[in-house]
Amino acid sequence: MALVNGSHPKEFILQGFADRPWLELCLFIVLLITYPLALMGNITIILVSRLDPRLHNPMYFFLTNLSFLDMCYTTSIVPQMLLNLGSSKKTISYMGCAVQLYFFHIMGATECFLLALMSFDRYVAICRPLHYTLIMNQRLCILLVFTVWLGGMLIAVSLSTLVLQLPLCGTNILDHLLCEISVLIKTACGEKKASELTISLVCTFLLAVPLCLILVSYASIGRAILKIKSSEGRKKAFGTCSSHLIVVFLFYGPAISMYLQPPSSITTDQLKFMALFYGVVTPTLNPFIYTLRNKDVKGAVFKLARNISGSK
């Protein structure tokens, strides 16, 4: 096997579920259906948020960023998965693996921060309604989104670079469906305790801090909703937050299970399915959650559909 720089192979073999061909066939069919759905759903959210004047506010500006992020998230891994699951050759070049590693974790880290930012937006909208437009002005929203993306990129690039510097000692078999930090650490050889500790601390910070901010925001939102006298007002306030809360649970649940548990307590198959869940299932469900539970978005989608059918 030819090596790069004496320790890195020219390509990796992504084993996936090679020992269970029937499962690979099922996954191939599922991904073949969910990937176009994810693209279609997120593109629809972006289009209606940009085209409908009623949706030109901070909440939908952040939702547009989430949809764009989810499209990039799935695109960074699904095409390669389909290629590997649909053929006997299950390889990815070293450079392709590095690119996938960077993009996949940039999107994941950025989504952690973006979900926290969206919860702050809901906090201001419900707890400071009279000052909402003043606080969440266009300049601040753009600055916050820029900060979220920059923070996600810096953390993910730093972690991915640290992992790629670990010696692999010629090993090129990865027991996973994608190039992911945890599997590359397991494959690395030599002294890696310091790197593992650093990555563990950064991942804990990346998940725990935004999640704490989300919980604090929703604790304040919950108190504010209980103070609303009319049942219609409480229902409306809860409706604006419920979609975001569902998305938060769908994203943070698998991520916490994957990164905040001791590696010895998680099987390889669990790692694969959790990566599939928060890298494929969640980005596919997000646009439908926001569409089905939000009257404004549903109205904008129907209006866009009528305009398209009318023009035809």
Side-chain angles (χ1 to χ4, degrees), residues 195-207:
S195 299
E196 286 180 331
L197 179 61
T198 301
I199 291 167
S200 178
L201 290 173
V202 173
C203 287
T204 302
F205 168 83
L206 185 60
L207 290 169

Side-chain angles (χ1 to χ4, degrees), residues 4 9 22 28 37 55 92 101 116 121 206 221 260:
V4 179
W22 61 271
F28 180 81
L37 278 177
L55 304 184
I92 182 172
L101 185 76
D121 172 69
L206 185 60
I221 288 170
L260 297 189

Side-chain angles (χ1 to χ4, degrees), residues 34-47 63-79 103-104 107 111 114 149 278-280 282-284 286-287:
T34 56
Y35 182 52
L37 278 177
L39 293 180
M40 182 183 67
N42 285 299
I43 289 171
T44 301
I45 293 289
I46 293 171
L47 283 176
L63 180 57
T64 299
N65 275 270
L66 180 65
S67 293
F68 175 73
L69 187 152
D70 281 342
M71 280 199 304
C72 297
Y73 212 170
T74 53
T75 302
S76 69
I77 60 171
V78 173
F103 272 91
F104 182 70
M107 299 308 149
E111 185 154 347
L114 184 58
W149 278 92
Y278 69 75
V280 178
T282 302
T284 304
N286 284 356

